[in-house]
Amino acid sequence: MNTTEAAWRRRRPISKYVTYLPYFSQKEILAVLIREVAMGAVHYDSYTEARTHFKDLLDAAEQGRVVTVRRDAARTAVVDVERLRHFLASIVPSAAQVVPEAGGWSVFIPGLPVSADGGSFDEAITEMIDALREYADDWQRRLLNTPNHRDNWGLVQLISFSDDDQLRDWLVGAAR
């Protein structure tokens, strides 16, 4: 926030209907008004423009605002990691199944080539977290364009954005 904008935000009401405005040029007032009115989505038509306004771009994403950057014909969204992780955890159910087996526990997620075993429930979940991380790494390296794996991008993002405790909660269905 520049000094003009900071002063604008500190303006003092003289009455219920009139606001005291320090001396600003019309151009400065217009620029602040445009920013205040346009506090919605933030779009940059080129990566050069986005790079020039990188701090503003990151600030907007951290606030949860829609932020996009266009590069040639592609448009990319910039999203705060914690917000995206929380959203993905709520829409990507783990569907993990944990079953007792041969004196231990097995964990698997139907439809995924990921499973784990452990002597106790907690060991099996810990092994499953490791297996999920290996799957996410394999997906990033070689599976992302494979037809039967390409739609798992949301799961891979969730795994990548989560720490072990968050993944454990997601697997066992604990409150987020």
Side-chain angles (χ1 to χ4, degrees):
M1 182 179 332
N2 63 33
T3 56
T4 301
E5 189 168 349
W8 174 265
R9 292 184 187 279
R10 286 192 311 266
R11 64 191 183 273
R12 295 185 308 266
I14 294 174
S15 74
K16 182 176 177 181
Y17 303 103
V18 178
T19 299
Y20 166 74
L21 296 175
Y23 177 76
F24 297 115
S25 72
Q26 289 178 341
K27 184 177 179 181
E28 290 172 321
I29 292 172
L30 183 60
V32 171
L33 286 173
I34 288 170
R35 272 196 299 278
E36 282 199 0
V37 169
M39 287 302 281
V42 177
H43 305 287
Y44 296 102
D45 289 325
S46 70
Y47 62 87
T48 303
E49 183 184 0
R51 189 176 54 230
T52 301
H53 300 282
F54 195 64
K55 182 187 179 312
D56 296 332
L57 179 149
L58 293 177
D59 289 345
E62 289 170 6
Q63 293 166 3
R65 294 169 46 207
V66 174
V67 180
T68 62
V69 178
R70 182 173 301 284
R71 184 175 70 172
D72 300 324
R75 202 168 105 192
T76 303
V78 180
V79 182
D80 176 69
V81 168
E82 282 305 312
R83 288 174 190 269
L84 181 57
R85 195 208 71 72
H86 178 75
F87 177 73
L88 290 171
S90 69
I91 65 163
V92 178
S94 78
Q97 296 185 12
V98 184
V99 293
E101 193 172 86
W105 293 84
S106 292
V107 183
F108 66 96
I109 297 177
L112 282 179
V114 180
S115 63
D117 299 308
S120 70
F121 180 87
D122 285 336
E123 287 175 16
I125 295 296
T126 299
E127 290 299 319
M128 186 60 161
I129 291 168
D130 292 341
L132 285 169
R133 294 214 184 277
E134 288 177 21
Y135 175 75
D137 187 52
D138 286 346
W139 191 91
Q140 294 280 2
R141 293 177 190 271
R142 60 185 177 84
L143 298 174
L144 71 150
N145 292 318
T146 307
N148 59 332
H149 292 277
R150 115 175 17 127
D151 289 339
N152 292 338
W153 69 268
L155 173 63
V156 170
Q157 298 282 320
L158 176 63
I159 294 165
S160 300
F161 297 153
S162 299
D163 62 28
D164 287 356
D165 290 335
Q166 290 168 325
L167 276 179
R168 181 178 312 282
D169 289 347
W170 177 76
L171 280 169
V172 299
R176 289 181 254 302

